[in-house]
Amino acid sequence: MSATLPPSWKAVLGDETGKPYFRNLMAFLEQERKIRQIFPSDEDLFAALRLTAYEDVKVVILGQDPYHDDGQAHGLCFSVKPPAKAPPSLKNIFKELHADLGCTAPDNGDLTPWTRQGVLLLNAVLTVAAHQPNSHKDRGWETFSDAVIGKVNEKTTPVVFCLWGSYARKKAKLVDTARHVVIEGAHPSPLSARKFFSSKPFSAIDRALVTTGQSPIDWQLPNVG
């Protein structure tokens, strides 16, 4: 494993990587990569943490596990690398973004511009075997991502946690709502999109940020084509 925690997160999560569960998880991943294709690549394993430094986090959007088809996952929840087309959940996010704030859907599914504004796009499980959804569930990633959420919860500056779907909403118990804001809603998956549509999560996030004296997010994504 060549992936290491970026400096700002290593400072707050350093103890986590020395725990037995994490060492076991890294050993499991090393073996998995020898015998099958794993997404995302080793270099993108901690992309969400690399792109959004601990001190910069002001919004957390939580996903479940990475996309499992070729050329999609790159370490950010719901995001895909060009030229991959936006999967159904991401298409629904773009539809709601348009209905909520008038943002036009980009020609790509790369959400990296959000990360540069303090949006942590974190999956609860950071890896998956190719074409096998949830294949790395219960291997230790959940403990790690809970630790990440716990550290964000320790921030004194208010953070907005956006939790879509029953899996993500279970994490609300990790958040001190006296200091932070939790926005819960249906998952953008086609299975629950009917409830996701018209939920207006993006304007709700911006309102919460402005109320706490922070700048709103520019949600409009650029075209790359």
Side-chain angles (χ1 to χ4, degrees):
M1 295 291 295
S2 61
T4 55
L5 289 176
S8 74
W9 288 96
K10 194 177 176 71
V12 293
L13 284 169
D15 291 348
E16 209 65 27
T17 58
K19 292 179 179 178
Y21 89 87
F22 193 87
R23 290 201 300 268
N24 291 339
L25 172 59
M26 292 299 105
F28 163 73
L29 270 183
E30 192 170 358
Q31 284 303 115
E32 281 281 280
R33 289 196 191 277
K34 288 177 182 176
I35 58 175
R36 57 178 58 88
Q37 192 174 18
I38 302 300
F39 299 133
S41 66
D42 195 22
E43 63 184 18
D44 280 337
L45 183 58
F46 296 120
L49 304 182
R50 186 181 73 246
L51 291 166
T52 309
Y54 176 73
E55 58 271 18
D56 295 335
V57 176
K58 57 194 219 182
V59 177
V60 176
I61 296 178
L62 184 66
Q64 194 160 345
D65 74 332
Y67 294 121
H68 54 85
D69 283 338
D70 297 320
Q72 292 182 315
H74 64 124
L76 307 178
C77 73
F78 295 109
S79 182
V80 292
K81 286 195 295 191
K85 293 181 179 179
S89 290
L90 185 52
K91 284 183 180 177
N92 288 338
I93 287 172
F94 290 156
K95 286 178 184 175
E96 181 59 17
L97 197 48
H98 177 70
D100 188 3
L101 293 174
C103 296
T104 54
D107 62 2
N108 67 98
D110 187 359
L111 305 183
T112 301
W114 294 353
T115 69
R116 300 191 187 108
Q117 301 177 70
V119 181
L120 178 64
L121 296 172
L122 180 69
N123 274 317
V125 176
L126 271 62
T127 56
V128 69
H131 318 302
Q132 298 177 48
N134 287 316
S135 49
H136 288 182
K137 182 174 176 282
D138 299 328
R139 290 288 183 169
W141 279 128
E142 294 90 345
T143 303
F144 177 77
S145 57
D146 280 2
V148 171
I149 294 169
K151 289 299 180 182
V152 174
N153 182 60
E154 290 177 9
K155 286 170 66 86
T156 53
T157 306
V159 174
V160 184
F161 291 82
C162 187
L163 307 177
W164 290 328
S166 58
Y167 184 90
R169 291 165 80 170
K170 290 176 184 173
K171 305 299 182 184
K173 66 180 182 292
L174 302 174
V175 180
D176 178 4
T177 52
R179 194 163 67 252
H180 305 296
V181 177
V182 174
I183 295 170
E184 298 184 37
H187 195 278
S189 155
L191 297 173
S192 51
R194 185 175 54 83
K195 293 180 181 177
F196 175 73
F197 292 141
S198 301
S199 61
K200 300 187 182 298
F202 303 101
S203 57
I205 291 169
D206 283 349
R207 275 196 306 275
L209 289 171
V210 171
T211 300
T212 55
Q214 301 176 83
S215 56
I217 304 299
D218 178 5
W219 296 105
Q220 179 63 63
L221 293 159
N223 289 329
V224 297

